[in-house]
């Protein structure tokens, strides 16, 4: 495993283009399985998780290739419905192929997928949803087997607005003729992007972005061209890095409306976020922050995104005051508090709630990227710390950030990878 080495104390300054959203790209790549002809995707970030999804699709029989910046997926020869275990274990998002496979081939096998270690992350809501559409479920040595040679449209009420379950069910429903309704659906922007992609392939989707989604599926969906939305979590990470260093950056390809929980809080703290034309956002942070206690809890969209929680905590370390951060989406996603403490941060945390004593200087240390966003938080902390911070397990961070060191360097940061 490699490392990032950060020497703190430099203000970020410059212009940066936000990449396409990983969490939109992965389900949309999986949804390509549904088409009867090739799909062309633009804005797909070049990330490790995307490479794993390409491996998954290839293992199922798809032809996948890059043509400059376009990713072309030809699903016409897909015949396999079991993803090899070693590929499935690499990434949780490999669960996304279950819905499309079940609808297209009539069978799928779900193993407990791999990914970041931020809690148990069961798949019971996905399985329940498929059973409501008529899938027959059996537990086998390989995993949970789903058979549904003749699925029916229906109404599925989710017990929690799971992002992945909503997406998986939308994909399955798109190839089931008739109207399927998903209630208590997740409302994340990535759901809306997937809905637009399914519509371009020929399904009819209404209500994406609300808790009540209706999908009128078709017996055939055709290949199309689609550009994925900008990555709101990547944008948030750079906004927080710039704010933590008292910097000024211009983000291109950034939709500020996708960051409702973050933008309001940063403005309250004195960070100027100015929308410019053409999806550009200027971030202008004060050099020091006034004493302001901050309290936040994570939640499903439009709540504060759990994927920004760690980076926000790193930023809060520079804001004088006692802050409370409560993690309500995953049951074990505050592990970065321990790593931040190695850098001198004063944080008391259990599995769900952290008390942060902000406004005290951080010092460099050797710390570990426990998950992708926790790792990004350590990079932000490193940018503000005195001396050198070494962040181990760099590859964990690279699952979700393309060329993080190169892009931070272009903004003036002192960061290397080795
Ligand atoms: C997606 C995102 C991830 C983000 C998360 C929450 C992708 C590829 N990943 O993950 O980055 O952190 O949304 O915004 O888009 N749950 C169950 N049973 C289920 C499914 C989920 O109990 O069947 C629980 C999970 O354990 C978790 C909560 O529901 O506590 C939210 O999970 P979910 O919304 O499904 O997240 P993911 O789709 O896995």
């Amino acid at each position: 495993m490699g490392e990032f080495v950060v020497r703190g104390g430099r203000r970020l300054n410059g212009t940066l283009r936000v990449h396409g959203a990983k969490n939109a790209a992965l389900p949309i790549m999986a949804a390509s399985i549904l088409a009867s002809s090739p799909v062309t995707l633009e804005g797909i970030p070049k990330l490790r998780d995307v490479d794993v999804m390409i491996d998954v699709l290839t293992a199922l029989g798809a032809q996948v290739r890059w043509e400059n910046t376009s990713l072309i997926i030809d699903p016409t020869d897909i015949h396999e419905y079991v993803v090899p275990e070693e590929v499935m274990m690499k990434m949780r998002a490999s669960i996304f192929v279950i819905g499309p496979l079940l609808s297209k081939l009539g069978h799928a096998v779900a193993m407990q997928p791999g990914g970041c270690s931020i809690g148990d992350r069961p798949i019971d809501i996905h399985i329940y949803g498929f059973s409501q559409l008529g899938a027959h479920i059996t537990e086998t040595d390989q995993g949970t087997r789903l058979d549904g040679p003749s699925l029916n449209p229906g109404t599925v009420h989710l017990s929690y607005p799971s992002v992945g379950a909503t997406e998986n069910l939308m994909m399955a429903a798109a190839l089931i003729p008739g109207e399927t309704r998903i209630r208590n659906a997740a409302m994340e922007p990535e759901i809306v992007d997937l809905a637009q992609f399914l519509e371009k392939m020929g399904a009819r989707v209404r209500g994406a972005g609300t808790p009540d989604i209706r999908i009128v599926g078709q017996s055939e969906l055709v290949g199309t061209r689609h550009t994925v939305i900008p990555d709101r979590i990547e944008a948030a990470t750079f906004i927080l890095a710039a704010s933590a260093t008292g910097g000024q950056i211009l983000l291109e390809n950034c939709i500020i409306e996708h960051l409702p929980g973050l933008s309001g809080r940063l403005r309250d703290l004195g960070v100027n976020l100015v929308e410019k034309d053409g999806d550009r956002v200027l971030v202008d942070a004060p050099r020091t922050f006034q004493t302001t206690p901050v309290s936040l809890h994570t939640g499903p969209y439009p709540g504060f995104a759990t994927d920004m929680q760690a980076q926000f905590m790193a930023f809060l370390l520079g804001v004088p005051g006692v802050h409370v951060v409560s993690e309500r989406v995953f049951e074990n996603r505050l592990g970065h508090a321990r790593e931040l403490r190695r850098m001198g941060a004063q944080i008391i945390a259990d599995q769900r709630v952290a008390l942060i004593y902000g406004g005290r200087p951080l010092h460099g240390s050797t710390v570990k990227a426990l998950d992708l966003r926790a790792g990004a938080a350590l990079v932000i902390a490193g940018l503000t710390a005195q001396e050198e911070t070494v962040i181990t397990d760099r590859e964990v961070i690279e699952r979700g950030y393309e060329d993080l060191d190169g892009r931070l360097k272009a903004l003036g940061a002192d960061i290397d990878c080795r």
Side-chain angles (χ1 to χ4, degrees):
M1 283 272 189
E3 299 168 341
F4 281 128
V5 182
V6 189
R7 285 158 294 268
R10 298 207 185 176
R11 285 196 187 94
L12 297 192
N13 197 290
T15 301
L16 179 104
R17 190 169 176 78
V18 176
H19 291 150
K22 169 178 88 76
N23 286 355
L26 296 172
I28 286 173
M29 288 170 71
S32 304
I33 291 174
L34 296 164
S36 57
S37 50
V39 164
T40 302
L41 301 176
E42 303 288 350
I44 302 290
K46 294 202 166 157
L47 297 170
R48 279 169 202 271
D49 277 7
V50 166
D51 291 339
V52 177
M53 186 56 95
I54 292 175
D55 289 348
V56 169
L57 295 173
T58 307
L60 296 172
Q63 311 272 337
V64 188
R65 66 177 202 283
W66 288 100
E67 230 177 67
N68 300 319
T69 56
S70 310
L71 184 69
I72 299 167
I73 301 172
D74 182 350
T76 29
D77 289 337
I78 288 186
H79 51 277
E80 271 294 333
Y81 61 87
V82 183
V83 179
E85 193 176 344
E86 65 277 11
V87 185
M88 192 77 162
M89 297 319 283
K90 281 191 197 160
M91 181 184 60
R92 179 169 169 87
S94 42
I95 189 73
F96 287 135
V97 298
I98 302 303
L101 287 174
L102 181 63
S103 247
K104 182 153 175 166
L105 302 179
H107 310 281
V109 175
M111 280 167 255
Q112 184 62 44
C116 284
S117 48
I118 54 176
D120 263 355
R121 306 187 81 173
I123 53 171
D124 54 311
I125 303 174
H126 301 241
I127 303 295
Y128 166 78
F130 294 133
S131 73
Q132 295 303 101
L133 301 181
H136 184 66
I137 318 285
T138 34
E139 291 302 330
T140 70
D141 290 346
Q142 280 181 306
T144 307
R145 188 184 162 97
L146 299 99
D147 295 288
S150 57
L151 297 172
N152 306 309
T155 296
V156 182
H157 191 111
L158 304 184
S159 57
Y160 181 89
S162 153
V163 177
T166 303
E167 292 172 335
N168 231 335
L169 289 165
M170 287 168 72
M171 294 189 274
L175 205 56
I176 305 174
E179 183 177 285
T180 292
R181 193 165 173 186
I182 307 170
R183 309 199 72 168
N184 198 28
M187 299 192 279
E188 271 69 1
E190 292 76 18
I191 304 270
V192 180
D193 205 28
L194 174 64
Q196 286 177 354
F197 179 68
L198 294 174
E199 285 227 287
K200 286 184 189 171
M201 290 203 296
R204 206 177 134 204
V205 187
R206 294 291 176 268
T210 79
D212 189 356
I213 304 178
R214 293 158 194 259
I215 301 119
V216 179
Q218 306 295 327
S219 53
E220 186 182 349
L221 297 172
V222 292
T224 186
R225 176 181 284 272
H226 185 76
T227 303
V228 299
I229 54 170
D231 195 319
R232 63 195 167 101
I233 309 299
E234 187 189 78
T237 304
F238 282 106
I239 290 173
L240 288 165
S243 301
T245 63
Q248 191 194 69
I249 61 169
L250 181 70
L251 287 178
E252 296 174 344
N253 197 33
C254 175
I255 303 177
I256 196 79
E257 291 80 12
H258 287 174
L259 298 166
L262 182 71
S263 54
R265 280 197 172 74
L266 286 178
R267 284 183 175 126
D268 289 349
L269 289 166
V271 178
N272 215 357
L273 292 172
V274 187
E275 283 179 72
K276 307 271 185 186
D277 56 339
D279 288 339
R280 294 182 311 147
V281 176
L282 180 71
V283 184
D284 188 6
R287 299 207 164 178
T288 54
F289 290 94
Q290 305 287 322
T291 302
T292 319
V294 175
S295 165
L296 77 84
H297 62 265
T298 62
Y301 192 85
F304 194 95
T306 173
D307 286 353
M308 300 176 200
Q309 176 261 107
Q311 304 92 308
F312 194 76
M313 188 186 292
F315 158 76
L316 275 182
L317 290 170
V319 179
V322 182
H323 315 298
V324 185
V325 169
S326 171
E327 172 57 52
R328 297 201 189 157
V329 177
F330 291 105
E331 73 272 21
N332 189 15
R333 205 177 190 180
L334 290 173
H336 42 280
R338 196 184 61 226
E339 299 303 305
L340 290 167
R341 276 201 295 265
R342 292 188 212 281
M343 301 175 67
Q346 301 208 354
I347 307 176
I348 304 168
D350 64 10
Q351 286 199 326
R352 290 275 192 177
V353 182
L355 259 190
I356 298 133
Y357 295 80
R360 296 160 198 224
L362 300 181
H363 56 76
S365 182
T366 296
V367 286
K368 183 175 172 183
L370 296 172
D371 73 64
L372 145 66
R373 308 303 173 186
L378 297 174
V379 172
I380 293 176
L383 292 171
T384 66
Q386 291 156 5
E387 304 128 24
E388 188 174 276
T389 303
V390 177
I391 300 146
T392 65
D393 293 40
R394 166 167 62 83
E395 290 77 0
V396 172
I397 304 177
E398 288 170 346
R399 291 178 54 172
Y401 296 93
E402 182 183 339
D403 189 25
L404 183 62
D405 51 321
R407 296 166 82 212
L408 283 171
K409 237 186 213 159
L411 296 174
D414 187 348
I415 178 169
D416 291 301
C417 68
R418 61 185 186 203

